[in-house]
Amino acid sequence: MEEKCMGKHIVFFDGDCGVCNFWVQWILKRDHNNRFLFASLQSDFGQTFLSERKLNTEVFNTLYLWKPNHYYLEKSNAVLQIANILGGIYKLSAIGKIIPRFFSDTIYDLVSKNRMKLANQKCYLPTPDERKKFIEV
């Protein structure tokens, strides 16, 4: 497992959320440099990640971005960093860092609170190449 994660950014998401699954698909389509792996927060891997950091293991309303041995980010900071890593036009999202985190996380929390109303849960079937990017779902 460590070899698979080496040098990658791992996106932890709510595996039961249609909005979250939409964004995972969005990242997959734009990850041309193969920098991301994915794991649901409900998976054993996700639960271990949360437990080791003393984070809530029962509420899955937060997106986390983890680069092993370096950092982990959550909520709006994670979203902005994902866009930055994707590069290209998405690097322009860095302007979002001028918004105070309290405010950007408040917006994030508002979307998160209403996410189940925003999108239907859809069963996404990744391609064989995309499946390689999932640690556990």
Side-chain angles (χ1 to χ4, degrees):
M1 183 63 65
E2 286 182 29
E3 289 178 23
K4 183 176 184 174
C5 297
M6 197 60 73
K8 302 288 185 179
H9 293 83
I10 301 166
V11 176
F12 291 94
F13 64 99
D14 180 351
D16 293 331
C17 170
V19 171
C20 302
N21 282 293
F22 169 84
W23 286 108
V24 166
Q25 293 171 53
W26 187 89
I27 296 166
L28 277 167
K29 287 184 169 95
R30 289 155 181 82
D31 184 21
H32 304 298
N33 294 318
N34 196 30
R35 295 185 178 174
F36 293 97
L37 296 174
F38 303 88
S40 73
L41 290 164
Q42 294 91 333
S43 69
D44 291 340
F45 189 76
Q47 288 290 293
T48 299
F49 169 83
L50 294 171
S51 294
E52 287 175 351
R53 287 152 189 84
K54 300 187 181 2
L55 299 167
N56 192 324
T57 59
E58 296 178 10
V59 178
F60 308 114
N61 60 355
T62 298
L63 175 90
Y64 296 95
L65 177 66
W66 179 42
K67 183 158 187 187
N69 301 318
H70 292 280
Y71 62 82
Y72 81 90
L73 303 170
E74 61 186 5
K75 299 184 179 187
S76 61
N77 279 352
V79 171
L80 291 172
Q81 184 66 13
I82 289 167
N84 186 54
I85 293 165
L86 287 172
I89 190 83
Y90 307 110
K91 275 193 169 260
L92 293 175
S93 68
I95 197 162
K97 291 184 180 185
I98 65 170
I99 299 170
R101 183 171 177 197
F102 170 80
F103 185 70
S104 60
D105 277 353
T106 299
I107 293 169
Y108 180 96
D109 289 338
L110 181 64
V111 172
S112 177
K113 181 178 177 183
N114 294 292
R115 64 197 161 104
M116 296 301 186
K117 299 173 193 171
L118 297 173
N120 293 329
Q121 173 60 22
K122 295 178 184 174
C123 185
Y124 174 64
L125 298 174
T127 66
D129 283 340
E130 290 173 340
R131 257 186 238 123
K132 295 174 189 172
K133 293 186 173 197
F134 287 85
I135 297 169
E136 288 183 43
V137 195

